[in-house]
Amino acid sequence: MARNIQSLERAAAMLRLLAGGERRLGLSDIASSLGLAKGTAHGILRTLQHEGFVEQDEASGRYQLGAELLRLGTTYLDVHELRARALVWTDDLARSSGESVYLGVLHQQGVLIVHHVFRPDDSRQVLEIGAMQPLHSTALGKVLSAYDPVAHSEVVEADRKAFTDRTVCELEGFEHLLDITRARGYAIDVEETWEGMASIAAPIHDRRRMPVGAVGLTGAVERLSRDGDLRPELIAAVRDCARAVSRDLGARRF
């Protein structure tokens, strides 16, 4: 029988340790918990950090799971499963709102549309499944950037193009928008990507509370807004849809 590779077993045990209990652990805590010499533990942590699986807080020196592990973990959820879980809820959202509904996931440096429900009227529309949307200007993109550290890294490093005079491209201003998004639980795009169009989006999480996508609706500004603000009932409907899909994926407290 082939022998297991001890260094990989130790690295796996280290990742499991960081995944449970306290969010951040120091080198001594990690070494003691796993019965390792500090030098051995530090060598493994340094390798994991180099690969992006572990991050070290500069202020405290403590370690936590890294963004690359999140990137690999989210592949566990098949996009087809996400779409299947969202079908009924996105149909309901389109019917109740009267607007187009989109389901998006992070792909490279943008948002990949994996499901699109047409606006329920007789107007001519084009199916946008497979289309890409920018991370920095769309409601779907802002939600992913706010909740997914991998998406955040991608958008920070990307060239944030101005699509209209409302597009926020400067990093400090964009980070402020992400703070607002996290604080209220949804993102908006009012003519930041397309003139005359507005969008509302909210995050979808899986059973590990990992962000795996976003759902949103898009329509003409005059239909989505009232007295200069986006209609609160539409915001509530988008958030309810995102929570419902999250619950179907096993998330709790949504």
Side-chain angles (χ1 to χ4, degrees):
M1 181 181 294
R3 297 178 60 186
N4 293 338
I5 300 174
Q6 188 180 55
S7 59
L8 292 180
E9 289 182 331
R10 289 173 171 174
M14 199 168 287
L15 293 174
R16 292 192 187 98
L17 179 65
L18 290 171
E22 295 183 35
R23 185 165 179 264
R24 293 180 178 144
L25 293 173
L27 174 61
S28 297
D29 298 324
I30 295 171
S32 176
S33 296
L34 299 179
L36 300 174
K38 282 188 178 180
T40 301
H42 185 256
I44 296 172
L45 284 167
R46 187 171 61 245
T47 301
L48 291 172
Q49 185 177 2
H50 177 74
E51 296 298 328
F53 297 137
V54 164
E55 295 174 355
Q56 186 178 29
D57 180 67
E58 293 184 3
S60 67
R62 290 175 173 265
Y63 295 89
Q64 65 184 20
L65 294 180
E68 183 61 21
L69 194 64
L70 174 62
R71 183 197 297 270
L72 294 178
T74 54
T75 62
Y76 171 82
L77 179 69
D78 185 10
V79 168
H80 295 297
E81 180 186 356
L82 173 61
R83 182 177 179 275
R85 299 289 186 179
L87 284 177
V88 172
W89 301 110
T90 51
D91 282 350
D92 285 348
L93 178 59
R95 185 167 50 253
S96 64
S97 67
E99 301 296 343
S100 301
V101 174
Y102 298 87
L103 186 67
V105 298
L106 175 67
H107 181 66
Q108 296 177 354
Q109 291 186 332
V111 183
L112 174 66
I113 303 302
V114 297
H115 185 52
H116 173 200
V117 184
F118 283 167
R119 185 171 64 253
D121 59 21
D122 296 328
S123 62
R124 184 177 179 180
Q125 300 173 63
V126 178
L127 188 65
E128 295 186 43
I129 293 175
M132 293 290 293
Q133 294 186 3
L135 283 170
H136 69 287
S137 63
T138 62
L140 290 171
K142 290 177 197 174
V143 162
L144 293 174
S145 300
Y147 288 91
D148 184 341
V150 177
H152 182 262
S153 297
E154 295 282 7
V155 75
V156 166
E157 296 172 3
D159 179 22
R160 294 176 297 279
K161 174 183 175 182
F163 297 103
T164 74
D165 59 5
R166 292 173 176 262
T167 309
V168 177
C169 302
E170 190 271 326
L171 184 57
E172 184 176 352
F174 179 71
E175 292 284 12
H176 178 63
L177 289 180
L178 298 188
D179 288 339
I180 294 174
T181 296
R182 284 185 286 264
R184 61 190 180 187
Y186 65 91
I188 64 171
D189 163 13
V190 180
E191 297 188 285
E192 293 177 52
T193 311
W194 304 282
E195 295 282 356
M197 302 297 289
S199 301
I200 305 164
I204 296 172
H205 296 79
D206 67 5
R207 61 178 173 273
R208 299 162 300 157
R209 296 186 65 81
M210 295 292 190
V212 294
V215 64
L217 60 80
T218 298
V221 173
E222 60 266 23
R223 293 198 305 268
L224 267 61
S225 61
R226 181 189 300 130
D227 299 327
D229 295 318
L230 292 179
R231 291 160 54 193
E233 68 271 21
L234 293 180
I235 294 172
V238 171
R239 299 190 67 191
D240 286 346
C241 178
R243 292 190 191 103
V245 178
S246 297
R247 283 195 299 268
D248 279 2
L249 290 172
R252 297 291 180 264
R253 292 180 292 173
F254 279 98

